[in-house]
Amino acid sequence: MRMSLKLSGWNDTIVALATPPGIGAIGVIRLSGEKAIHIINALFPSKDLNEQSSHTLHVGFLKSKGKILDEAVVSIYKAPRSYTGENIVEISCHGSPFIHQQVIDACIEEGARLAKPGEFTQRAFLNGKLDLAQAEAVADLIASNTQASHKTALNNIRGGFSQALKELREELIRFSALIELELDFSQEDVEFVDRSQLMKLVTTANEHTGRLMQSFQLGNVIKNGVSVAIIGKPNAGKSTLLNALLNEDRAIVSHIPGTTRDTIEEVLNMDGILFRLIDTAGIRNHSDDVIETVGIEKSLQKMKQAEIVLYLFDVNNEDPVELSRTIRELDQKVIHFLLVGNKVDLIDEAAAREKFVYTSGVIFIAAKNGLHLEVLKERMVDKVFQKDVSGESVIVTNARHFHALNEVHSALNDVILGLQDKIPGDLLALDIRRCLQYLGEITGDITNEDQLDYIFSKFCIGK
Ligand SMILES: Nc1nc2c(ncn2[C@@H]2O[C@H](COP(=O)(O)OP(=O)(O)OP(=O)(O)O)[C@@H](O)[C@H]2O)c(=O)[nH]1
Ligand SMILES: [Mg+2]
């Protein structure tokens, strides 16, 4: 149990609505703390709930000051076999906000206090039911709105990420203990720690942290979506493509070049990944129109910021040599892009392929009638997973973990450099302790009260 971290108000029994506020079929009110069962018992006249065993359900009227509040189902979980590790009572009442408020007020009158955001999960953490990385995954899970983000959050709750870090931490603790021992015998000039073995461990650990850090890019994408900018010359069909991908008439399409003046953003969920599609103003070298010029500036900016660029061109009037030049420019700017040749319906598709035979990887489509759109969609999804780190099943999604990993990585680097330079054991021990410090910050083995309050305050009330 993380006793040293018990915060103020720790002994209180807390209460909150656990379901979303508003009208529903049912609403669940949750109590956690030593007095939880005692409190509900005071409101539940039909039987003595103090006498009931854990993990049981009870139906009856809730009564306060002689007035019936509702007929409800009460579930009882006794410490330590509950989510928080404390006594928990869940009251399923009818789904009216008025009833919820009355039941919560009655609980408060019997000695509970309102829970702060995330306080239930915070207690689960403090009672050793979850580590910090798992607790944060609970928040991510609640916020997840695509299949992929749901999957990574669930994996992190099960502790995949924590397990990987724990193993590393234990190995380092072993070495650090041996080095400290060595320091006690510094007069005798002995080495308990096999330096080459330590080097091997630290190098492997460093590679592993590096991979975890890389996975953050994908993790971030899964959590926040991938930005995709549709870029190309005026009239290439960018707005038509946006509409076709969204399956709705979102952007204005016309045969007049320079129709789109400002950027338009819309989200699209494909294969569980959230894409943020951005339609931009067509880029041309010279425009006398002030508004269009501003639009072009904005397009170039979006191109640089986007995670993926769809470079769209009209196969009928694009010059293959000029296209090669554009590809070189995109490569130089280290932009991830897909080449999309549009309007193949106007010439024969085979002729289009022949024309661009020296340019590899072009996806030929006709945005106007949706031809080969599914090929483009597939390639967009592939492009996201291409950035994935193969073999790494654990994906880092949390910025706080990423920054701590960064520190671990640099401390491990210092250990490696120290070993290469054969620095004395006491200096090595310092760097190893720094690694341990940051690893502990991720799982919550080392942390402080302010940090905890901050992390859990981002949860919703009732969780
Ligand atoms: N035949 C054919 N016409 C298309 C296709 N895609 C777009 N068009 C037409 O091309 C013209 C320009 O399309 P838009 O989608 O407005 O082009 P844009 O790239 O957004 O143009 P700007 O916003 O001006 O930069 C319209 O008349 C579209 O109907 C296609 O696949 N086949
Ligand atoms: Mg347009």
Side-chain angles (χ1 to χ4, degrees), residues 8-40:
S8 53
W10 165 259
N11 281 321
D12 300 345
T13 294
I14 51 174
V15 64
L17 183 67
T19 43
I23 296 171
I26 59 167
V28 177
I29 289 156
R30 179 139 80 168
L31 281 158
S32 179
E34 209 181 323
K35 289 191 287 184
I37 300 172
H38 182 79
I39 290 170
I40 187 65

Short mmCIF file of all heavy atoms in Angstrom, two decimals, residues 8-40:
data_model
loop_
_atom_site.label_atom_id
_atom_site.label_comp_id
_atom_site.label_asym_id
_atom_site.label_seq_id
_atom_site.Cartn_x
_atom_site.Cartn_y
_atom_site.Cartn_z
N SER A 8 -4.86 14.38 2.38
CA SER A 8 -5.88 14.90 3.29
C SER A 8 -7.25 14.45 2.81
O SER A 8 -7.50 14.36 1.61
CB SER A 8 -5.79 16.42 3.32
OG SER A 8 -5.87 16.92 2.01
N GLY A 9 -8.13 14.15 3.75
CA GLY A 9 -9.47 13.69 3.38
C GLY A 9 -9.51 12.22 3.01
O GLY A 9 -10.52 11.71 2.56
N TRP A 10 -8.41 11.55 3.25
CA TRP A 10 -8.27 10.16 2.86
C TRP A 10 -9.27 9.26 3.58
O TRP A 10 -9.74 8.27 3.03
CB TRP A 10 -6.83 9.74 3.16
CG TRP A 10 -6.59 8.29 3.15
CD1 TRP A 10 -6.48 7.46 4.23
CD2 TRP A 10 -6.44 7.46 2.01
NE1 TRP A 10 -6.27 6.19 3.84
CE2 TRP A 10 -6.25 6.15 2.47
CE3 TRP A 10 -6.46 7.69 0.63
CZ2 TRP A 10 -6.06 5.08 1.62
CZ3 TRP A 10 -6.28 6.62 -0.21
CH2 TRP A 10 -6.08 5.33 0.28
N ASN A 11 -9.58 9.61 4.84
CA ASN A 11 -10.45 8.75 5.64
C ASN A 11 -11.93 8.97 5.37
O ASN A 11 -12.76 8.20 5.82
CB ASN A 11 -10.20 9.00 7.14
CG ASN A 11 -8.95 8.28 7.58
OD1 ASN A 11 -8.70 7.15 7.14
ND2 ASN A 11 -8.15 8.92 8.40
N ASP A 12 -12.27 10.03 4.63
CA ASP A 12 -13.68 10.31 4.37
C ASP A 12 -14.29 9.23 3.50
O ASP A 12 -13.62 8.60 2.70
CB ASP A 12 -13.82 11.64 3.61
CG ASP A 12 -13.24 12.80 4.39
OD1 ASP A 12 -13.00 12.63 5.60
OD2 ASP A 12 -13.02 13.86 3.78
N THR A 13 -15.60 9.09 3.66
CA THR A 13 -16.32 8.25 2.70
C THR A 13 -16.85 9.21 1.63
O THR A 13 -17.44 10.25 1.95
CB THR A 13 -17.47 7.49 3.40
OG1 THR A 13 -16.86 6.58 4.32
CG2 THR A 13 -18.31 6.74 2.41
N ILE A 14 -16.60 8.87 0.36
CA ILE A 14 -16.95 9.80 -0.72
C ILE A 14 -18.15 9.29 -1.52
O ILE A 14 -18.39 8.08 -1.59
CB ILE A 14 -15.75 10.05 -1.66
CG1 ILE A 14 -15.13 8.73 -2.13
CG2 ILE A 14 -14.70 10.91 -0.98
CD1 ILE A 14 -14.04 8.90 -3.17
N VAL A 15 -18.86 10.22 -2.11
CA VAL A 15 -20.05 9.86 -2.90
C VAL A 15 -20.07 10.68 -4.19
O VAL A 15 -19.64 11.83 -4.20
CB VAL A 15 -21.35 10.09 -2.09
CG1 VAL A 15 -21.56 11.57 -1.76
CG2 VAL A 15 -22.57 9.55 -2.83
N ALA A 16 -20.56 10.09 -5.27
CA ALA A 16 -20.73 10.82 -6.53
C ALA A 16 -21.62 10.02 -7.47
O ALA A 16 -21.74 8.79 -7.34
CB ALA A 16 -19.39 11.08 -7.20
N LEU A 17 -22.21 10.74 -8.40
CA LEU A 17 -22.95 10.10 -9.48
C LEU A 17 -21.92 9.49 -10.43
O LEU A 17 -21.01 10.18 -10.89
CB LEU A 17 -23.79 11.16 -10.21
CG LEU A 17 -24.70 10.65 -11.33
CD1 LEU A 17 -25.81 9.78 -10.76
CD2 LEU A 17 -25.31 11.83 -12.09
N ALA A 18 -22.05 8.19 -10.73
CA ALA A 18 -21.05 7.53 -11.57
C ALA A 18 -21.47 7.50 -13.03
O ALA A 18 -20.65 7.26 -13.91
CB ALA A 18 -20.80 6.11 -11.06
N THR A 19 -22.74 7.72 -13.30
CA THR A 19 -23.22 7.75 -14.69
C THR A 19 -23.32 9.20 -15.15
O THR A 19 -23.28 10.11 -14.32
CB THR A 19 -24.59 7.03 -14.78
OG1 THR A 19 -25.38 7.44 -13.67
CG2 THR A 19 -24.45 5.53 -14.76
N PRO A 20 -23.46 9.45 -16.47
CA PRO A 20 -23.52 10.84 -16.93
C PRO A 20 -24.72 11.57 -16.33
O PRO A 20 -25.77 10.96 -16.14
CB PRO A 20 -23.69 10.71 -18.44
CG PRO A 20 -23.40 9.32 -18.78
CD PRO A 20 -23.57 8.49 -17.56
N PRO A 21 -24.57 12.86 -16.04
CA PRO A 21 -25.70 13.60 -15.48
C PRO A 21 -26.82 13.72 -16.52
O PRO A 21 -26.55 13.67 -17.72
CB PRO A 21 -25.11 14.97 -15.16
CG PRO A 21 -23.86 15.07 -15.96
CD PRO A 21 -23.38 13.68 -16.21
N GLY A 22 -28.03 13.84 -16.06
CA GLY A 22 -29.16 13.97 -16.98
C GLY A 22 -30.11 12.80 -16.85
O GLY A 22 -29.92 11.93 -16.01
N ILE A 23 -31.13 12.80 -17.73
CA ILE A 23 -32.15 11.76 -17.64
C ILE A 23 -31.68 10.51 -18.35
O ILE A 23 -31.11 10.57 -19.44
CB ILE A 23 -33.47 12.27 -18.28
CG1 ILE A 23 -33.98 13.46 -17.47
CG2 ILE A 23 -34.51 11.16 -18.35
CD1 ILE A 23 -35.15 14.18 -18.10
N GLY A 24 -31.90 9.35 -17.72
CA GLY A 24 -31.55 8.07 -18.35
C GLY A 24 -32.43 7.01 -17.76
O GLY A 24 -33.28 7.28 -16.92
N ALA A 25 -32.24 5.74 -18.23
CA ALA A 25 -33.06 4.67 -17.69
C ALA A 25 -32.71 4.45 -16.21
O ALA A 25 -33.59 4.35 -15.37
CB ALA A 25 -32.82 3.38 -18.47
N ILE A 26 -31.41 4.37 -15.93
CA ILE A 26 -31.00 4.33 -14.53
C ILE A 26 -29.83 5.28 -14.31
O ILE A 26 -29.17 5.73 -15.26
CB ILE A 26 -30.57 2.91 -14.07
CG1 ILE A 26 -29.40 2.39 -14.92
CG2 ILE A 26 -31.71 1.92 -14.09
CD1 ILE A 26 -28.73 1.16 -14.34
N GLY A 27 -29.58 5.59 -13.04
CA GLY A 27 -28.41 6.39 -12.67
C GLY A 27 -27.73 5.64 -11.54
O GLY A 27 -28.41 5.08 -10.68
N VAL A 28 -26.40 5.60 -11.58
CA VAL A 28 -25.68 4.87 -10.53
C VAL A 28 -24.93 5.86 -9.64
O VAL A 28 -24.17 6.69 -10.13
CB VAL A 28 -24.70 3.84 -11.14
CG1 VAL A 28 -23.90 3.15 -10.03
CG2 VAL A 28 -25.45 2.82 -11.97
N ILE A 29 -25.16 5.75 -8.34
CA ILE A 29 -24.46 6.59 -7.38
C ILE A 29 -23.49 5.70 -6.64
O ILE A 29 -23.82 4.59 -6.24
CB ILE A 29 -25.46 7.24 -6.41
CG1 ILE A 29 -26.24 8.30 -7.19
CG2 ILE A 29 -24.74 7.87 -5.22
CD1 ILE A 29 -27.56 8.61 -6.62
N ARG A 30 -22.25 6.19 -6.51
CA ARG A 30 -21.22 5.33 -5.93
C ARG A 30 -20.71 5.92 -4.62
O ARG A 30 -20.44 7.13 -4.54
CB ARG A 30 -20.10 5.21 -6.95
CG ARG A 30 -18.93 4.38 -6.50
CD ARG A 30 -18.45 3.53 -7.63
NE ARG A 30 -17.62 4.32 -8.53
CZ ARG A 30 -16.88 3.77 -9.49
NH1 ARG A 30 -16.87 2.48 -9.69
NH2 ARG A 30 -16.16 4.53 -10.26
N LEU A 31 -20.56 5.07 -3.63
CA LEU A 31 -19.98 5.46 -2.34
C LEU A 31 -18.72 4.64 -2.14
O LEU A 31 -18.70 3.45 -2.45
CB LEU A 31 -20.93 5.08 -1.21
CG LEU A 31 -22.14 5.95 -0.88
CD1 LEU A 31 -23.17 5.10 -0.13
CD2 LEU A 31 -21.72 7.13 -0.02
N SER A 32 -17.65 5.26 -1.62
CA SER A 32 -16.46 4.49 -1.29
C SER A 32 -15.88 4.99 0.01
O SER A 32 -15.78 6.20 0.24
CB SER A 32 -15.41 4.59 -2.40
OG SER A 32 -14.27 3.85 -2.05
N GLY A 33 -15.49 4.08 0.88
CA GLY A 33 -14.88 4.45 2.16
C GLY A 33 -15.36 3.54 3.26
O GLY A 33 -16.28 2.73 3.06
N GLU A 34 -14.74 3.72 4.41
CA GLU A 34 -15.02 2.83 5.54
C GLU A 34 -16.52 2.80 5.89
O GLU A 34 -17.08 1.76 6.19
CB GLU A 34 -14.21 3.33 6.74
CG GLU A 34 -13.82 2.25 7.70
CD GLU A 34 -13.05 2.83 8.87
OE1 GLU A 34 -12.25 3.77 8.64
OE2 GLU A 34 -13.25 2.34 9.98
N LYS A 35 -17.17 3.99 5.83
CA LYS A 35 -18.56 4.07 6.28
C LYS A 35 -19.59 3.84 5.18
O LYS A 35 -20.78 4.04 5.40
CB LYS A 35 -18.80 5.45 6.93
CG LYS A 35 -18.09 5.60 8.27
CD LYS A 35 -18.55 6.84 9.00
CE LYS A 35 -17.99 8.08 8.35
NZ LYS A 35 -18.29 9.33 9.01
N ALA A 36 -19.14 3.43 3.98
CA ALA A 36 -20.05 3.33 2.84
C ALA A 36 -21.27 2.45 3.15
O ALA A 36 -22.42 2.84 2.88
CB ALA A 36 -19.30 2.81 1.62
N ILE A 37 -21.02 1.28 3.71
CA ILE A 37 -22.13 0.34 3.96
C ILE A 37 -23.01 0.85 5.10
O ILE A 37 -24.23 0.79 5.04
CB ILE A 37 -21.57 -1.08 4.24
CG1 ILE A 37 -20.76 -1.54 3.01
CG2 ILE A 37 -22.70 -2.07 4.54
CD1 ILE A 37 -19.99 -2.82 3.20
N HIS A 38 -22.36 1.41 6.09
CA HIS A 38 -23.07 2.01 7.21
C HIS A 38 -24.03 3.11 6.72
O HIS A 38 -25.18 3.19 7.16
CB HIS A 38 -22.01 2.57 8.17
CG HIS A 38 -22.57 3.18 9.38
ND1 HIS A 38 -23.00 2.44 10.46
CD2 HIS A 38 -22.81 4.48 9.70
CE1 HIS A 38 -23.46 3.25 11.38
NE2 HIS A 38 -23.36 4.50 10.95
N ILE A 39 -23.55 3.93 5.80
CA ILE A 39 -24.35 5.05 5.28
C ILE A 39 -25.57 4.55 4.51
O ILE A 39 -26.70 4.99 4.74
CB ILE A 39 -23.49 5.99 4.41
CG1 ILE A 39 -22.50 6.75 5.29
CG2 ILE A 39 -24.35 6.96 3.62
CD1 ILE A 39 -21.43 7.52 4.53
N ILE A 40 -25.35 3.58 3.63
CA ILE A 40 -26.49 3.10 2.83
C ILE A 40 -27.48 2.37 3.74
O ILE A 40 -28.69 2.44 3.55
CB ILE A 40 -26.04 2.21 1.64
CG1 ILE A 40 -27.23 1.86 0.73
CG2 ILE A 40 -25.38 0.93 2.08
CD1 ILE A 40 -27.84 3.03 0.04
#
